Amino acid sequence: MKFMKLGTRPDTFFTTEAARSISSDVTTDLKIQVDNSLYNLHKFPLLSKCLRLQALWAETTDGEIIQLSNFPGGIEAFETCAKFCYGITVTISALNIVPVRCAAAYLGMTDGADRGNLVGKLDAFLSSCILRRWKDTLVTLQQTRQYMALCEEFGITSRCIDALASMIISHCCKTNNPTKSRNSWAEDISELGMDLYWRVMLAVKSGGVVPARSVGKALKVYARKWLPNVAKNGKSGEILEGDDDSGGESVKEVTLKQRLLLEKIVTLLPAEKGSVSCGFLLRLLKAGNILNASASCKMELARRVGLQLDEATVTDLLIPSLTYDSETVYDVDIVMNMLEEFMLQSQSPPTSPPRERLVCERRRSRSAENVEFELHENGRRSSSASHGSKIRVAKLIDGYLQEIAKDPNMPMDKLIALAEAVPEFARADHDDLYRVVDIYLKTHSGLDKSARKKLCRILDCKKLSVEACMHAAQNEMLPLRMVVQVLFFEQARSAITGSQVTNLPNGINSLLAKSNSGDDENDMSELQRQESKKSETLRMRLEEDEISDSESDDVFMPRRGRLMRNGSSRFKAAFCVIPAKPKKMMNKIWTMNKSVTERN
């Protein structure tokens, strides 16, 4: 740390009878009261260098004490100024330059009083030494917190901020890869209060040199130091104590201070996508919920999360809902906002260009047509990347839905809305979505038939795996028509592949497994006798499950037009004869299985 020595005489100040004085052959003739300390000094050395003391002395009578109440810097700074007037050696460094500079300015120790006065010397030392060194500048800036108004008036604060920003920018310019170099500066400036930190970071960003990722890392360091801890499971932890000088503050005051801190951090976030991680943004959002941050602050964080939602994890999305008007455990609305933002920021096509076209383009000449191919290939890769990110987000949302489905207070409409917000092409299968339905039905066992049917609308039986179909076929919580539809689609799938359905429920499997074992009517009678109780129970339940034809077609009947366009001829034939009533559907399943086994 740099320092400056002024004066050559030894220190001869002493204390006697509750007063400070100086050893001299000349009798003291000036009394000054600085806060609670009395000084017996001499007029000539002090009045010759201090304009304020000249004015105050002119207004007093002989022997009257000059009062200097609320003196900036206290008695230490006053005594340093007094010693300078006497020519006594004083040491100036980053540790005391701010209070001494404020005291000197208060006393009027400028060149207008005496050439080469203290204010001029301090300013020169500040510019030539302190502001050229990182640690000295940082210490000096921290000292300005105690004398904010005076330091702003004298320009000390702004000069320190500009110096720090210039050194950070210079460091990043000299480093070959600033994003991978150690951000020691980020750790250092994290000790600053929010107002000073905000101004330093604003100056750094305005330079346009420091990479956005480096700015993001610095903000992450600061947030971790001063914001409340949020556990990874989404539950709020204890609020930190805050700044070192926050002792004696109530929890409400600390919370308010940290809320303002959070909102200022959000204003400093770089605009570039990926400058901060999605996990960090979500931790800020959780802290915002704990601190009751403004709606605009939370929506901005949600918007930024939406831009890179494919980087998040299910745990990240478990944001506690702490509002009084919400009974749910987690904030589902904010996740919906994130998903909508993600879907809006990328409008790429769901599929890649046809393979034949790419093969054809690869055979073009090496001339200018290669440039066209490169552009097309780059566009294709960009489209594929966007498509892949949507698939990852679909998987993420399905995992999130499985978590919130466990909440007994979760409204079904919110669950359905979030599930349907994911584009259809992003889900290769509906197994995860089926788990959501299964969990929700088990958690909300009191749902009536209509609600269960409404929930099952989000499922596409054609996208269920064999394992999911087998589970659904035996799931007593599902509507019976859903079970029959699952069995029908599984049987239709078997008709296409030329195989049989296996591992069905006992009552259904026995009707299908031995359809090729001799005379149809005799075998059917034998099977019905063996499994009469289970089969009849199933048929009776089907007959009792009466709903209107329109609802049945809308909820559980397959989309015949689309299937006939995309399916094979056998698949078309199977779906063209889907019965309107579920009890007839069982006979059709059995008949289809019989025809398959006959071909085999």
Side-chain angles (χ1 to χ4, degrees), residues 363-376:
R363 294 175 180 172
R364 291 185 180 180
S365 64
R366 299 179 181 178
S367 60
E369 292 184 351
N370 281 352
V371 177
E372 180 185 347
F373 168 71
E374 267 188 45
L375 294 175
H376 174 77

Side-chain angles (χ1 to χ4, degrees), residues 121-315:
K121 291 184 179 295
L122 292 176
D123 287 344
F125 179 62
L126 180 69
S127 301
S128 61
C129 294
I130 289 183
L131 296 183
R132 294 186 179 184
R133 299 172 63 87
W134 173 261
K135 289 292 185 183
D136 289 354
T137 306
L138 195 60
V139 171
T140 302
L141 183 59
Q142 289 174 318
Q143 294 288 323
T144 63
R145 294 178 63 187
Q146 302 177 40
Y147 317 98
M148 293 180 62
L150 290 174
C151 288
E152 291 290 352
E153 180 183 345
F154 304 147
I156 299 175
T157 304
S158 58
R159 292 171 68 186
C160 288
I161 289 172
D162 291 342
L164 287 176
S166 297
M167 283 184 272
I168 292 172
I169 293 172
S170 176
H171 166 76
C172 292
C173 289
K174 293 177 182 178
T175 308
N176 292 331
N177 194 341
T179 59
K180 292 186 178 180
S181 65
R182 181 175 176 270
N183 279 6
S184 58
W185 60 269
E187 296 284 350
D188 291 340
I189 65 174
S190 68
E191 299 295 332
L192 296 173
M194 186 62 234
D195 289 339
L196 295 177
Y197 179 86
W198 185 80
R199 292 173 64 180
V200 170
M201 291 301 296
L202 205 62
V204 169
K205 289 181 64 179
S206 64
V209 175
V210 180
R213 286 185 177 272
S214 294
V215 174
K217 288 179 180 178
L219 293 174
K220 188 175 182 179
V221 170
Y222 195 81
R224 281 181 171 177
K225 188 175 183 66
W226 298 114
L227 285 179
N229 181 34
V230 178
K232 289 186 177 181
N233 61 0
K235 298 179 180 178
S236 59
E238 294 182 356
I239 293 187
L240 301 178
E241 290 297 326
D243 297 337
D244 293 338
D245 59 349
S246 64
E249 292 183 345
S250 66
V251 174
K252 184 177 181 180
E253 292 172 329
V254 173
T255 300
L256 176 60
K257 181 185 294 186
Q258 292 178 334
R259 182 192 308 156
L260 296 174
L261 184 150
L262 170 68
E263 292 173 353
K264 285 208 168 186
I265 288 178
V266 173
T267 64
L268 290 173
L269 290 172
E272 293 81 353
K273 177 183 176 181
S275 56
V276 292
S277 68
C278 186
F280 173 60
L281 292 172
L282 284 162
R283 285 194 291 274
L284 288 180
L285 189 53
K286 291 178 182 179
N289 266 13
I290 295 171
L291 298 171
N292 194 25
S294 65
S296 59
C297 175
K298 291 191 285 188
M299 290 305 298
E300 173 63 14
L301 286 171
R303 185 190 69 81
R304 288 176 176 270
V305 170
L307 296 177
Q308 50 197 97
L309 187 59
D310 55 320
E311 302 173 12
T313 64
V314 173
T315 303

Side-chain angles (χ1 to χ4, degrees), residues 511-574:
L511 293 175
L512 303 174
K514 300 180 180 180
S515 59
N516 60 346
S517 60
D519 183 73
D520 294 344
E521 294 182 0
N522 294 334
D523 289 343
M524 183 59 188
S525 299
E526 180 63 25
L527 289 173
Q528 288 176 340
R529 283 194 297 271
Q530 292 176 0
E531 297 291 341
S532 59
K533 184 176 181 179
K534 295 178 181 178
S535 299
E536 288 303 318
T537 300
L538 179 61
R539 292 176 183 273
M540 290 173 63
R541 287 182 61 192
L542 283 168
E543 291 174 355
E544 292 172 358
D545 187 26
E546 292 296 338
I547 60 174
S548 64
D549 290 343
S550 60
E551 182 182 359
S552 175
D553 291 340
D554 180 56
V555 178
F556 294 111
M557 288 300 102
R559 301 178 187 177
R560 302 178 184 179
R562 187 175 63 183
L563 292 173
M564 291 180 66
R565 287 193 298 269
N566 299 332
S568 65
S569 58
R570 252 189 302 179
F571 201 61
K572 294 177 186 177

Side-chain angles (χ1 to χ4, degrees), residues 492-510:
R493 180 160 48 192
S494 299
I496 294 175
T497 60
S499 60
Q500 287 184 249
V501 179
T502 57
N503 298 326
L504 294 176
N506 293 335
I508 307 298
N509 192 46
S510 60

